[in-house]
Amino acid sequence: MSSDHGHADEGSELSETELRVRALESLLTEKGLVDRATLDEIVDLYENQIGPRNGARVVARAWSDPDYLQRLRDDASAAIAELGFGGYQGEDMVALENTPEVHNMVVCTLCSCYPWPVLGLPPLWYKSAPYRSRVVVEPRAVLEEFGVTLPDETEIRVWDSTAELRYLVLPMRPDGTEGWSEEELTAIVTRDSMIGVGLVSATPGDAPR
């Protein structure tokens, strides 16, 4: 169930949700209720200008600055706002810190609540019924489908996002990144790791020059 495999609503054919969205967009555009160019600008903003990079900067700062990490633990909304990120869909945030003992995963079982100002647009699989239903009953199996196999002794906690509260998973910093700059750390943080369905790794090619 990774971002590049697994769901009936993914692939070359449009999913039921995508078809509904496109039909609604066409209807609203034809009636002159929305402007397609404005919609394209909004999508571009969240997909390319915000994307998951804001969240990656938060993670990199937390890895680099112990004082910031503590502020993130104490009040994630305020700590994230320090970096200039917040607003609609990201007003109330909680940071979930992964450790060797505990691995956190995020889902929205009812719909697709997601921290847009921090992670951008939610991936299709995050909104899919299979992910939303399975992750709460068999999280370890879902993780394995994303390519993540955790030790049996690692506790997996699944957190249900709501319209009032959203989560950012703080992945574990990979070994071998000591001395890296925040910019270099930001580059290796993935969206999936901040949802809890991926791990962050450092490869030799990622090392600072």
Side-chain angles (χ1 to χ4, degrees):
M1 196 183 292
S2 68
S3 56
D4 58 0
H5 77 282
H7 295 299
D9 58 356
E10 295 178 349
S12 59
E13 296 183 357
L14 294 178
S15 68
E16 182 179 350
T17 300
E18 289 173 318
L19 290 171
R20 288 179 180 176
V21 170
R22 293 199 179 192
L24 180 61
E25 179 183 343
S26 296
L27 179 62
L28 294 174
T29 302
E30 290 171 3
K31 290 183 175 295
L33 298 176
V34 299
D35 179 69
R36 189 180 298 276
T38 300
L39 288 178
D40 289 342
E41 289 180 7
I42 292 173
V43 171
D44 177 69
L45 173 67
Y46 282 100
E47 281 191 342
N48 302 312
Q49 299 181 48
I50 295 177
R53 291 177 300 173
N54 292 350
R57 288 183 57 193
V58 172
V59 172
R61 177 66 58 87
W63 283 347
S64 305
D65 184 342
D67 292 335
Y68 182 80
L69 172 60
Q70 189 58 53
R71 294 198 296 277
L72 189 67
R73 290 167 172 159
D74 295 341
D75 186 342
S77 300
I80 293 170
E82 286 182 32
L83 301 186
F85 313 136
Y88 181 64
Q89 304 272 2
E91 297 92 340
D92 296 300
M93 296 285 300
V94 169
L96 307 169
E97 190 173 357
N98 281 351
T99 68
E101 293 76 30
V102 176
H103 182 90
N104 298 285
M105 301 174 67
V106 180
V107 66
C108 177
T109 55
L110 292 179
C111 49
S112 58
C113 294
Y114 193 75
W116 287 26
V118 181
L119 296 184
L121 295 175
L124 286 177
W125 56 259
Y126 183 84
K127 298 180 286 186
S128 71
Y131 177 78
R132 291 188 284 119
S133 59
R134 290 185 60 219
V135 73
V136 295
V137 295
E138 48 180 357
R140 196 173 292 273
V142 171
L143 275 178
E144 290 180 351
E145 293 177 21
F146 276 92
V148 176
T149 301
L150 298 175
D152 292 340
E153 58 271 24
T154 299
E155 177 187 354
I156 300 175
R157 297 176 181 172
V158 179
W159 301 79
D160 196 0
S161 292
T162 69
E164 290 76 32
L165 191 63
R166 290 172 171 80
Y167 300 98
L168 171 70
V169 173
L170 180 61
M172 289 192 292
R173 180 173 178 167
D175 294 335
T177 59
E178 297 78 9
W180 288 30
S181 69
E182 282 190 33
E183 181 179 4
E184 290 160 342
L185 291 171
T186 298
I188 62 172
V189 179
T190 65
R191 176 201 62 194
D192 286 4
S193 72
M194 294 182 284
I195 301 174
V197 297
L199 304 176
V200 179
S201 63
T203 64
D206 297 320
R209 297 176 176 79

